[in-house]
Amino acid sequence: MPERGYDPEYEGVDMEEEDSLIEMSSRGNGRRSRRHLGPSSSSGGSFRYMVVGFVVALIGVYYLGLHEGKVEVDKENREKPYNVFEHGGTSSNAKPASAPAPNEEAVQEEEEEEELAPKPTPNPTPRPTSKGLFTLDKLQATRAESDKLLKMLEDYYTSAEQTQNMLLKPWSAPWDFDSEVPDNADEKTPNHLRVEKIVDTIARALVTDEQKVFLMGAIGSSVAAGHDNCHYDSYESQMERLWGPVWEAAGMKFVFQNGGEGGGCGDSYKNQHYCIKQNVSPDVDIVHYEWTYFEHGQAKVEHENLIRWTQMLPKQPPVHIFNTGTLEGGDDVKLAEYYGSYGFNAFYMKTGFLLGGYDYESEKNDPDNPLDRFAWSQRGDGYHETTRYGELEEEDRRNSLGTVMRNWHPGPMGFQLTSDAFTYLYTKAILKALDLIEEDIIKGNDPRDTWTASERPILLKSNLPEPVFCDPEYCTVDEAPGCLNYELPTFGFWGARVEDPNDDLNVHIGENQNWTVWHQDNDLWYMVGKEDTAVFKNRDDKEKCRHLDACGGISAQKAEDGMVVFRLPKMEVGLVVICGCCGKDVGNAMFKTNPDIEIRYNTVLLDPETFDIWPENKCVRLLQRFPTHGRESETPTGHAYLSINVVNDMSSVVRISHVITL
C-alpha cells in the first residue's frame, strides 16, 4: 500500500487502530489482504469498504470537533507572552482569559479529554524570577553585548585562537578560562584562583543594587597619562569606549580613572604607589599600574606593597600591571603565582604583537627594505594600518592613529592592543560571572545573597600570606597608606589635611599660617605631540586632546608666610614622609639640609639628622614609626600634627607635593 500523506482530518487518530479495522473487514478465504478500494472490487467487498469508510469518517468528525473546541478554548492563552525563564504558569503581565459560558456537550468533551491527558505534577516548582535591580533582561542583554564584543575582537584578530595568543598569553601568568576546576579546593592552581578573583569582582559589581558604576583606576607615568598622543587615544580612554556598552547593557556605567602623570614632577614608582587611595578612588573595582620604563626590573617591593595594600580597600581590587615591553620572566612571574588568589598579573604589550605570528625580525633585517615596526613614529603594526576608529577618520588623523610607538611612549596602535587585551580578559570574566548569577536565579536563589558587595569577606592583615619581598612592617597592615597629593589628577580621598589656622584643635593656633596652593598651568596642547597638534588645531573637538596631569604643591618662600599645619590621619605604623616639587632630587636641599625651615611633630622640633631621603629623591622620611616617648608621642587632641615653618626669607620656594602617612 502506498505511504499515506498527512490529512488534517485524521489528526489525533491512532492509525494502527484504523489499519486493524480495515484488515478485519477485508478477510477472505482465511487470508488477510489489503485491496485497493476501487471500482474493480466485488459488490460485497464494496459494501464492507463503505461500512469501514463510514466508521472512519465518524471517528474523524469526533476528533476534529474535539480539536476545534480545544483551539477555541485555548486561543487567548496561546496569545499571552511567555517568559522562557518561568517554567510553567502564565506571565505575570497577562490578563486572565474570559472563558465562554459552558454547555453540557463541551463540558463532557473536556472531561473526556482530561481523562486521556497526562496529569500535571501537583504543587509545581514556581518559575524562577530575578531579584534585585540586575534583572534577567539585563543579564541577557549584558551577555549579548559581551558575546558581540568578543566576536568583534576575534574577527579583528582573524580567529579566536590568534586573539587569545595576542591578548591572553602575553602575561606573567597566561590566562586560561577553559581549564577545568577541580572539586577539591586545595588542588586549584594559581590560574583557577586568579580567574575566580576577577569573576568574583565583576559578579559582585553586577548584583550590588547600590553600585551604579564599574570603576577602574590607573596610576603610572606619562605612558599611563597617554603623553605624545591626544588624551582621547590613551588606552584608558579607548577602553572606556570599547567596554562601556557592556556595562550600559547591565544598567551601569564603566569609568576608568586615569591617574597617570608626567615625569616633570619628579615622581616615580617608588613614591606614587603610596598614594593609591588618593590618586584613584579607594572604591575602585580593579587597579592598573604602569611605571615599568623607570623600574629596570627593580620594583618587586613596590609591586608587592601595592598588591597587599589594595586588598585592604573596600572592594579588594586586583592589581594588573601594564608593561610596554616583552615578557622575560622576572619577579612578577613569582608574584603572579604567589598572589593568584588576589588576581595579580602583568601584561606585556610588545609580546602581544609578537605572539600574533607576524615576522617582525625578517622585516627588520630585510637587506633591501628594512622596516622596524616598533621604531619611533612607525605606522602599522603588521596586522592593520590604523586603529579601528582610525579607519573612519580623514587621512591625516588616520595616519596618526596608525602609530605603534610615538617614541618611548606607545602610539594609538600600541594603546589599542593594550585596551583590547584588558577588555578581552574582563569580558571573558563577565561571561563567567553571568553564568554563575543565572545559575543562582534558576535555582530560585537571590544572587545578592552570594555576590553582593556586603557579602564580600573582610580581609585583615592577619589573613595575608607572609611577604616575599616587602618590609612586613609597612606591607602587612590593615589600612593602605594615607596620602595628601597636590599634583593632578586625583580622584580619591586625602589622608593628611591642612588644619584651619583658627580651629581650636590646631596646636599652633594664633601663629602665622599663610602657605598657598600652586598648580602648574598647562595649556591645551601640553604633552599632546606635534603631529596631533597639527591635526586638531582647527578642529572643533580639540578639547579631547587635553591631558589631565599637572604638577602641584603647597608653597612658601618668605618668613611672613609662616607655617603650614597638617592634621595627620589615623596611622598604624607612624610613618611620616614629605615630598617636594618639582624635580627628582629636591628632597635634600628643600627639606633635609634647609636651614631656613623648622619641622615639628606634635609641636616638638625634629632633628634633620634623623631624616633620610626616602622612598624617592624628592622625598624625606621624617619618622619611620611612632615615637615611643616624650611629648612627640602624645596626642592630647586625638590627632597627630605636622608643621613646617619658614623662619627666614629664602631665595627659592619650598613646595610640598605629598604628605604620606602609614
Side-chain angles (χ1 to χ4, degrees), residues 277-278 482-485 492-498 567 569:
K277 284 202 303 189
Q278 191 189 10
C483 181
L484 172 58
N485 178 13
F493 306 123
W494 60 77
R497 50 171 279 188
V498 175
R567 181 197 293 184

Side-chain angles (χ1 to χ4, degrees), residues 71-82 89-91 94-98:
V71 168
E72 186 66 25
V73 171
D74 287 343
K75 181 178 180 181
E76 277 195 357
N77 283 338
R78 286 208 310 272
E79 293 174 349
K80 297 175 185 176
Y82 178 68
T90 58
S91 168
K95 297 180 180 179
S98 54

Side-chain angles (χ1 to χ4, degrees), residues 12-31:
V13 177
D14 187 334
M15 300 312 292
E16 291 185 2
E17 179 182 350
E18 179 194 350
D19 285 346
S20 66
L21 288 171
I22 295 174
E23 290 167 2
M24 289 174 62
S25 303
S26 58
R27 293 182 188 274
N29 299 325
R31 283 184 313 180

